[in-house]
C-alpha cells in the first residue's frame, strides 16, 4: 500500500481543480497561437541532457539505457527538429505532462514526480519574441486568478563580466556560486583565494545588489562593463522595453543555476510562496542549435497557490431507474445508478457518500424516506 | 523602517541574544524576551521563531521565515540555496580535523556532526574514509576508537587539551550569517534591502 518517496495520490476534489487549471492554462496558451504536442515519457539516456544526473534510468530489452522524462524543453526542441524541420517559424508549441527527478529531496514544492504545463516559441530570436513569452506567462497566471510578479535576469551578464575579466575554471565557478547566493563574504573569499583584481570585486559586489524595479538597468549601465556584459545588459533592456519595464522586477545577480540558458531568464513570484510558480528563458542559438525560448508552470505549485474558483460542484443524485438517470442528467445533475433493489443498502450508501436525493422517473425524493 | 510582516528564524542560545542585539541596532523593534517556554514571539510586528540552529536554513529556504541568522558551518552543511548577504562576524569558530595526540594510523573512519562537510573535505584531500554521523560529544568517538578522527567545532581548544586531543587541520572558518529567502528578498525588498545595508554598515 506504500508509495515511493516523493510521489503522491491525487483525490477527487483536487483532481478536478488541477484538471480545470490545466485546461485553463492550455486555453490561455492556445489564444496566443500555441498548439499542443505530446512527447514520449521514455527517452534515450543522454549524458549531454541538462538533467541527466538526476533522471530515473531504465534498461531496455537490448541493454540500452533509457531515461524517464525529466524536463520538457529538450524533448520539445527535438520534436520540433524531427517534425517541423522547415517550420514555419516562429513555431509556437505547448505541452503538459509528468516529469520525474531522482535526486529531488521530497519536501514542500519538491516532489520527485510532478507536472508541468508550458509553452515554447522556437526558431526566432528577438526582444519581441522574448517579450511575447512574458506576456503569455503573465496573462495565463492572471487568467487563473493568480497575482504574480514577473522577474527577469540574464545569466550572461555575470558570466560576461567574468569572461571579460579573463576569469576561468575553478575561480569562475566559485565566483558564479557566490554571486548567485548573493554571498558577499564568500565572494570576498573567492576573490582573495584566486588573487583577482579589486576592480572586479567592486563590480561583482555591486551586481549582487542589482535587484528590484527598472531603476536597476541604469545602475548596471553605470558599472565598468566589458563587451560581453554590456551586450547581455543591452539584450535585457531591449526585452524590458518591448514588454514594459515598469511591469517587471529585475535581478542581474542571477547566474550559474541556469546553465543551459543562453539569453534572458524569468520567473514568477507569488507573495507567501517560497517557490516561483513558473520559470523559463531563452536557450539554444549556439552553433547547430535552433534558437528558442519558453517557460513551464509547475502545476502542483499552481494548484496550491491559485485561488479556488472552481465551478460549483454539481449535485449528485442516486437514480433508481434509467428514466431517472436521463431526467437528472437533463437537469444538469450527476446521476449515479442504483445497483441493487435493497432499499436499506442504497440508503446506507447514499448517507455515507453524502447524497441527499434519489430520483425515479421524473420525481425526486429525499434519501431519508423509503425509496 | 517599516518591518511589519517580517518573520525571522533565530537559533536558540547565545547566538539568539547576539542576533537580537545586532538586529535591534540595525533598526528592527526586537527585544530579549523574558525566560519562558514560548517558541514564537511577536516583537512589535516582527515574528521571531526560536529554532535549533540546524533548522534555521530549512525555515528560511522553504519560506516559512523570510530571513534568519545561522552559523556558516550549519548553513554549508545544510546545502540550502538561500541568499547569505551579510557576515555578522560573531559566533566565530572553526571546523577542524581532530585526532588523539600523536595518532598516526590511516584515516579509515571519521565521525562528525557535519557529514556533508566532512565528506567534501575528505574528497578534497583525496581520502576515502567512511563518515559516521553523530549528534554530540564527538570527541568521544576518537577516545573510544569508534573513529580514527573527528571533524568538529573548535572555539577555544580547551576541550581538546583536557581530552588529550589535537587539532590537525582547519576544515573551514565559520561566523554567523544573515540569510534571506530567495522570494522574500524580492517581494519584501522595501524592508530587507535597507536592513541588509545597515547590517553591513554595522559589521564592516
Amino acid at each position: 500500500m506504500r508509495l515511493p518517496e516523493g510521489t503522491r495520490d491525487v483525490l477527487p476534489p483536487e483532481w478536478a481543480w488541477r484538471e480545470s487549471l490545466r485546461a485553463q492554462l492550455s486555453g490561455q496558451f492556445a489564444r496566443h497561437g500555441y498548439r499542443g504536442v505530446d512527447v514520449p515519457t521514455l527517452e534515450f539516456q543522454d549524458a549531454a541532457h541538462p538533467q541527466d544526473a538526476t533522471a530515473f534510468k531504465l534498461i531496455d530489452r537490448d541493454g540500452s539505457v533509457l531515461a524517464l522524462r525529466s524536463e520538457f524543453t529538450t524533448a520539445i526542441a527535438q520534436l520540433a527538429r524531427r517534425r517541423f524541420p522547415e517550420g514555419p517559424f516562429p513555431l509556437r508549441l505547448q505541452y503538459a505532462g509528468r516529469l520525474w527527478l531522482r535526486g529531488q529531496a521530497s519536501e514542500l514544492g519538491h516532489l520527485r514526480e510532478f507536472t508541468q504545463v508550458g509553452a515554447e516559441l522556437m526558431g526566432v530570436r528577438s526582444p519581441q519574441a522574448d517579450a511575447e513569452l512574458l506576456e503569455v506567462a503573465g496573462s495565463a497566471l492572471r487568467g487563473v486568478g493568480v497575482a504574480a510578479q514577473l522577474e527577469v535576469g540574464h545569466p550572461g551578464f555575470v558570466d560576461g563580466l567574468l569572461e571579460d575579466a579573463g576569469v576561468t575554471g575553478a575561480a569562475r565557478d566559485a565566483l558564479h556560486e557566490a554571486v548567485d547566493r548573493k554571498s558577499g563574504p564568500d565572494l570576498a573569499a573567492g576573490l582573495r583565494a584566486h588573487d583577482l583584481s579589486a576592480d572586479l570585486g567592486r563590480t561583482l559586489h555591486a551586481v549582487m545588489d542589482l535587484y528590484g524595479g527598472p531603476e536597476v538597468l541604469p545602475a548596471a549601465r553605470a558599472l565598468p562593463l566589458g563587451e560581453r556584459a554590456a551586450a547581455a545588459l543591452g539584450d535585457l533592456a531591449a526585452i524590458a522595453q518591448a514588454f514594459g519595464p515598469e511591469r517587471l522586477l529585475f535581478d542581474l545577480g542571477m547566474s550559474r543555476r541556469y546553465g543551459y540558458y543562453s539569453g534572458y531568464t524569468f520567473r514568477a513570484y507569488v507573495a507567501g510562496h517560497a517557490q516561483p510558480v513558473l520559470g523559463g528563458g531563452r536557450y539554444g542559438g549556439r552553433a547547430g542549435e535552433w534558437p528558442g525560448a519558453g517557460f513551464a508552470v509547475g502545476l502542483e505549485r499552481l494548484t496550491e497557490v491559485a485561488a479556488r474558483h472552481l465551478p460549483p460542484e454539481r449535485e449528485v443524485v442516486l437514480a433508481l431507474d434509467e428514466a431517472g438517470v436521463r431526467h437528472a442528467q437533463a437537469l444538469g445533475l450527476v446521476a449515479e445508478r442504483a445497483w441493487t433493489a435493497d432499499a436499506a443498502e442504497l440508503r446506507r450508501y447514499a448517507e455515507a457518500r453524502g447524497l441527499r436525493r434519489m430520483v425515479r422517473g421524473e420525481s425526486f425524493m429525499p434519501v431519508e424516506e423509503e425509496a | 523602517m517599516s518591518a511589519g510582516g517580517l518573520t525571522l528564524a533565530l537559533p536558540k542560545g547565545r547566538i539568539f541574544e547576539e542576533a537580537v542585539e545586532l538586529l535591534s541596532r540595525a533598526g528592527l523593534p526586537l527585544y530579549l524576551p523574558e525566560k519562558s517556554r514560548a517558541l514564537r514571539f511577536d516583537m512589535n510586528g516582527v515574528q521571531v521563531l526560536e529554532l535549533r540552529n540546524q533548522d534555521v536554513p530549512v525555515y528560511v529556504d522553504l519560506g516559512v521565515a523570510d530571513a534568519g541568522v545561522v552559523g556558516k558551518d550549519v548553513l554549508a552543511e545544510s546545502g540550502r540555496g538561500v541568499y547569505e548577504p551579510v557576515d555578522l562576524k560573531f559566533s566565530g569558530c572553526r571546523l577542524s580535523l581532530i585526532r588523539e595526540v600523536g595518532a598516526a594510523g590511516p584515516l579509515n573512519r571519521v565521525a562528525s556532526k557535519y557529514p556533508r562537510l566532512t565528506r567534501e573535505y575528505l574528497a578534497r584531500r583525496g581520502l576515502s574514509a567512511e563518515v559516521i554521523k553523530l549528534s554530540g560529544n564527538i570527541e568521544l568517538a576518537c577516545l573510544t576508537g569508534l573513529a580514527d578522527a573527528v571533524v568538529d567545532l573548535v572555539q577555544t581548544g580547551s576541550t581538546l587539551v583536557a581530552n588529550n586531543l589535537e587539532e590537525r587541520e582547519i576544515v573551514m572558518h565559520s561566523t554567523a550569517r544573515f540569510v534571506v529567502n530567495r522570494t522574500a528578498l524580492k517581494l519584501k525588498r522595501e524592508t530587507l534591502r535597507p536592513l541588509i545595508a545597515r547590517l553591513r554598515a554595522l559589521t564592516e
Side-chain angles (χ1 to χ4, degrees), chain A residues 134-170:
Chain A
L134 294 173
E135 197 65 63
V136 173
S139 66
L141 291 179
R142 275 197 307 280
V144 295
V146 170
Q149 180 65 62
L150 287 173
E151 181 188 69
V152 294
H154 200 308
F157 182 69
V158 173
D159 201 54
L161 283 171
L162 297 173
E163 175 91 29
D164 289 331
V167 182
T168 54

Side-chain angles (χ1 to χ4, degrees), chain A residues 107-108 151 180-186 209 211-212 249 251 254 257 269-271 273-274, chain B residues 61-63 72 80 82-87 177 181-183 185-187 189 193 196 200:
Chain A
E107 60 182 20
L108 220 60
E151 181 188 69
D180 190 65
R181 284 187 289 111
K182 298 197 188 298
S183 174
D186 288 2
D209 286 337
Y211 60 88
L249 291 181
D251 186 353
M254 288 272 171
R257 282 148 57 95
Y269 298 120
V270 178
H273 293 270
Chain B
D61 187 28
L62 298 183
K72 176 68 179 172
R80 298 268 171 184
V82 296
Y83 290 134
E84 36 172 309
V86 193
D87 183 351
R177 300 290 164 97
N181 174 268
R182 284 181 173 258
T183 299
L185 183 71
K186 309 304 174 57
L187 297 186
R189 63 188 181 286
R193 188 197 287 275
I196 289 168
R200 279 188 187 141

Side-chain angles (χ1 to χ4, degrees), chain A residues 35-60:
Chain A
R35 295 177 294 155
V37 291
D38 209 349
V39 286
T41 296
L42 288 177
E43 303 174 337
F44 287 114
Q45 184 264 340
D46 175 6
H49 190 281
Q51 300 280 20
D52 182 55
T54 43
F56 280 92
K57 312 291 188 335
L58 305 91
I59 310 295
D60 203 356

Side-chain angles (χ1 to χ4, degrees), chain B residues 86-104:
Chain B
V86 193
D87 183 351
L88 301 176
K89 306 224 171 109
F90 60 82
S91 268
C93 59
R94 54 192 189 268
L95 198 62
S96 293
L97 184 78
I98 296 159
R99 301 195 74 172
E100 236 175 319
V101 173

